Amino acid sequence: MLKNNKSSAPFYTDVWFWVKLMVFVIFVLFLIWPFSSMITNAFASSKAEGFTFYNFNRFFTKKYYYGALWNSIGVSVVPTLLSVLLGVPMAYFMTRYNVWGKKVWHVLAILSLMSPPFLGAYAWIMLFGRAGSVTQFFLNHFGIQMPTIYGFGGISIVLTLKLYPYVYMYTSGAMESIDSSLEECAENLGSGKLRRFITITMPVVTPSIAAGALMVFMSALADFGTPMLLGGADFRTLPVLIYNEYFSEIGGNGNFASAVSIIIVIITLGMLLIQKLWVSRRNYVMSALRPPKEVEVHGFTRFLVTLVPFLITFFSFLPQLVVCVCSFQTTNYSSFTGGFTLDNYTGLGKRLWTAIRNTFTYSTVAIVFIVVIGILMSYAIVRKKGKTGGLLDLLLMAPYVIPGSVLGLCYIVTFNVKPLVLTGTAAIIIISYIIRKLPYTVRSASAFLMQMDPSVEEASINLGVPPMKTFWKVTARLMLPGVFSGAILSWVTCINELSCSIMLSTGKNNTLTIAAYTDIVRNSVGSGAALAAILTLTSSIILIAALRVTKGKIRV
Amino acid sequence: MEKIKKGVRLDHISKIYQDPKTGKDFYAVKDTSLEIEPGSFVTLLGPSGCGKTTTLRMIAGFESPDEGEIYLGEEPINELTPNKRDTAMVFQSYALLPHYNVFDNVAYGLKLRKVPKNEIKNRVLKILDLVELTGMEERMTNQLSGGQQQRVALARALVIEPSVLLFDEPLSNLDAKLRVSMRTEIRRIQQEVGITAIYVTHDQSEAMALSDKIIIMSKGVVAQMGTPQEIYYHPVSEFVADFIGEANFLKGRMIGKNGSNAVLEIEGNSLNVPDHDGMETGKDYTIVLRPEAASLADRGGMPCRVVLSCFMGSYQNYHVMVGNTLVKLEEHNPKNKRIYQVDETCSLVFDPESVHVL
Ligand SMILES: Nc1ncnc2c1ncn2[C@@H]1O[C@H](COP(=O)(O)OP(=O)(O)OP(=O)(O)O)[C@@H](O)[C@H]1O
Ligand SMILES: [Mg+2]
């Protein structure tokens, strides 16, 4: 076919070519390369020559190791199922009924999802642990021994209460998008309420439930803080194993930890593929012309429909209250003695300021990069698809698939040797933040951009404003709300990041999250609570302020 | 300051897209050549997906042609990016900048051109006066009605004094009444400014009302270009005849000549029609008969049977069968005429001069 190519300018004069190139370079350097070095690392060992399956053999022959695999699957599958059980009804009541205090429950759900990763575990230990206040209360007054919070059950409960908001948010988003005429139509045809829910509502929202469930699964599988605190000596999960093995393999190169990392990535990847295949076969694209109306209920019914979101969010928000209360209590070594004090805060001294300074410097530097790269990248994905758009999209999934501790390990094995030595620096922590938290911003910005009328940009160019100037003057400007809500999530999750930064920090780089977590692990519960309270409070204030500004338009 | 008017010329233009489903290439616009005269108002008309928008966007520079060359005046413009082309476009969605008020929207293109401040002000106010929006300068665009937004979009395009104005279905978001008044408005402003305008629509009455010339497109190619009258009375194909207005097609064979007329046999009747070049005896032809050009009588034309008779106010609508062919006709001003009922047999009469032979 005859084409006169003279009409299209050479690729290297196109700014978007350079933007895509830059994004690829960043991802190759800080995701693909480290990940490949880790793979190579997994097939090497000090116990064997050259290429070897030694590490995998060891993993699958020792119960100590493969037991962790089953544990991990258990504490991912169970919270996923429980989250569906909590999230779907909550979404249904919240979108369909005039629940009291709707906004409050919604905000609380977001706050629990965005809370520091070890917070739930810590608070539940404080309440139901061996010396926990509830445990003691039952023991002393009724002589009842509460079931243990440590191990499988406790981890599952804590993870569920933290992660169910994924299901709730995804599902309620889908429920709001069902055109009311569809349900009215079913009603017209004489379907009862339950039948209507099963035949109309469920099929339409199932893909969203699945997407939310997948997020729960991947986050639970990757979670490091909770099983570390609640696992005790004999319940290990894979991320814990990675951390322990790396730091106990004295002088080792993390060969065994790398092998474990590969196993965990294979599981997440597998789940992701299954979900993609399943969703691609049932994709109901909907745009509600008339969003469904709230049902007005009164009196006792209204109380009942409110009770569901209230109870769920109460228990999921409880840890944050517990931590704040604990932070003002006097301690005696590793347990609280009940009096009121500010010592936990004042005792932190210089350590607090270092932690605060680190937290805010790292997360703020990261967020500046995330915003700039995010704006450019989402534009390239949505408007300049070309042949590489799909690849960019795929790269964005990577941070969800690769757990934080795995990325941390990748960075350690790659960047503590030449040509690029970065371990022990603040830069490596910031880079890990950028790679892991960029997707929030890109996703939110692209979703926003997709709904923006492209002819506004064209009009500007058409009126004589050059494309790049138009981009910054019009497009980027109009994208800001989408970028903003995404960037807030990126920022808050950076502040609360634990699993990756704890592998990369050398003490002087400790952030608030790392400091709080290490104190808790070392049984310095008072100062840990103080740090955690500061952290929670900061995240909550940022999120609530952002929700105000965006009028609630922050979607995870 | 009087600008030299420029025309637009498309020279064997093609645009190839890839079908997203099958991945196959196809021509959205194929080997199209056009000449649009300076200062004229030309509409691109055609069914959905025929390549109108694509053609317009190639002129504006948002798409680059895969083959051929586009000229603005005498200058080839394929190489120019959209911001360097002397064209201005009015979009279907108006595409106003939501973060600017009316004044700044209109001034947007001028600011870039480093026009002095007070001149910007003068020109914007003058244009706003032309589109009858004086006094709305401070409004944000979401505080305007659809018709007002459309006029801001028009003003914004006009104010930079482009050589060519491009419109892509600018009125399709408006209600029927406003559409009619806006199109008169657009025509008035175009004539006042004397600018070349290319207008995409799939509303034929809009095309008729606005245009000096109409270009009918079908599946990526130009089916016919001509004045509204030429297109209506002398369509070159059944497609064009059917697309513009209602048309009946009567098929017949030429059986001889009668002076300057050709004699066709249609459903057993012989009919004298104006001869045109190259008509040959023995060949099949189709004649186009407009519904308003025919009427019913007791005798004297082609015998027919009424299958539908319906009073429409200003006319009586008939469907009749002439042999095996269905003919629709409109008898205007039916008040004092004989009304034929369903199943009556009567006669279809029309002036042979008013039919068009394909
Ligand atoms: N970016 C694109 N990629 C692939 N195909 C396209 C693209 N843009 C348009 N097409 C196809 O090219 C053909 C012509 O499209 P065009 O938009 O020019 O139609 P149109 O005449 O303006 O129709 P309408 O009246 O519906 O606006 C259509 O078949 C359309 O699907
Ligand atoms: Mg179009």
Side-chain angles (χ1 to χ4, degrees), chain B residues 291 294 296 306 308-319 328-335 337-342:
Chain B
L296 294 183
V306 179
L308 179 127
S309 173
C310 181
F311 178 61
M312 304 294 290
S314 68
Y315 64 93
Q316 184 79 17
N317 190 15
Y318 292 114
H319 288 186
K328 300 171 184 171
L329 54 131
E330 293 168 7
E331 185 97 58
H332 283 269
N333 202 7
K335 196 171 175 192
K337 291 183 186 152
R338 160 149 158 50
I339 301 299
Y340 293 87
Q341 301 302 332
V342 173

Side-chain angles (χ1 to χ4, degrees), chain B residues 238-287:
Chain B
E238 278 192 35
F239 171 80
V240 174
D242 202 30
F243 195 77
I244 288 277
E246 285 259 14
N248 296 298
F249 300 106
L250 295 164
K251 304 213 183 284
R253 175 162 296 171
M254 180 158 160
I255 51 172
K257 278 196 150 206
N258 182 358
S260 66
N261 284 344
V263 182
L264 297 184
E265 191 197 277
I266 291 166
E267 299 284 357
N269 308 284
S270 58
L271 186 70
N272 283 334
V273 295
D275 192 4
H276 68 70
D277 295 338
M279 281 184 78
E280 283 173 39
T281 308
K283 279 203 165 170
D284 289 338
Y285 291 95
T286 302
I287 67 165

Side-chain angles (χ1 to χ4, degrees), chain B residues 120-335:
Chain B
I120 292 186
K121 190 162 179 201
N122 288 339
R123 278 168 71 174
V124 171
L125 292 181
K126 209 174 122 213
I127 289 286
L128 285 177
D129 184 45
L130 184 71
V131 298
E132 294 171 355
L133 280 179
T134 307
M136 306 230 178
E137 297 83 7
E138 299 299 320
R139 294 250 195 126
M140 292 310 278
T141 55
N142 58 6
Q143 299 169 324
L144 299 175
S145 72
Q148 290 165 337
Q149 290 184 33
Q150 186 58 73
R151 277 183 273 188
V152 176
L154 183 59
R156 185 178 66 176
L158 282 169
V159 79
I160 59 168
E161 298 178 351
S163 298
V164 180
L165 255 187
L166 306 171
F167 296 88
D168 192 358
E169 309 201 24
L171 305 182
S172 58
N173 286 344
L174 303 179
D175 68 55
K177 237 192 183 136
L178 197 53
R179 213 148 55 205
V180 174
S181 72
M182 271 306 291
R183 77 184 185 210
T184 333
E185 199 82 328
I186 288 179
R187 180 62 165 161
R188 170 183 70 81
I189 292 166
Q190 183 261 341
Q191 281 177 332
E192 237 175 275
V193 184
I195 194 172
T196 312
I198 307 176
Y199 190 102
V200 164
T201 179
H202 53 231
D203 178 342
Q204 46 160 310
S205 58
E206 215 166 278
M208 291 286 200
L210 282 168
S211 322
D212 295 316
K213 288 257 177 77
I214 295 178
I215 297 165
I216 307 268
M217 289 187 73
S218 159
K219 296 185 185 142
V221 298
V222 173
Q224 188 172 4
M225 173 165 179
T227 63
Q229 289 80 357
E230 279 167 355
I231 301 243
Y232 192 76
Y233 292 121
H234 304 286
V236 295
S237 63
E238 278 192 35
F239 171 80
V240 174
D242 202 30
F243 195 77
I244 288 277
E246 285 259 14
N248 296 298
F249 300 106
L250 295 164
K251 304 213 183 284
R253 175 162 296 171
M254 180 158 160
I255 51 172
K257 278 196 150 206
N258 182 358
S260 66
N261 284 344
V263 182
L264 297 184
E265 191 197 277
I266 291 166
E267 299 284 357
N269 308 284
S270 58
L271 186 70
N272 283 334
V273 295
D275 192 4
H276 68 70
D277 295 338
M279 281 184 78
E280 283 173 39
T281 308
K283 279 203 165 170
D284 289 338
Y285 291 95
T286 302
I287 67 165
V288 179
L289 175 65
R290 296 290 180 189
E292 71 280 6
S295 55
L296 294 183
D298 292 339
R299 67 191 74 79
M302 296 182 182
C304 63
R305 189 170 56 82
V306 179
V307 292
L308 179 127
S309 173
C310 181
F311 178 61
M312 304 294 290
S314 68
Y315 64 93
Q316 184 79 17
N317 190 15
Y318 292 114
H319 288 186
V320 298
M321 295 299 295
V322 179
N324 290 321
T325 311
L326 176 76
V327 176
K328 300 171 184 171
L329 54 131
E330 293 168 7
E331 185 97 58
H332 283 269
N333 202 7
K335 196 171 175 192

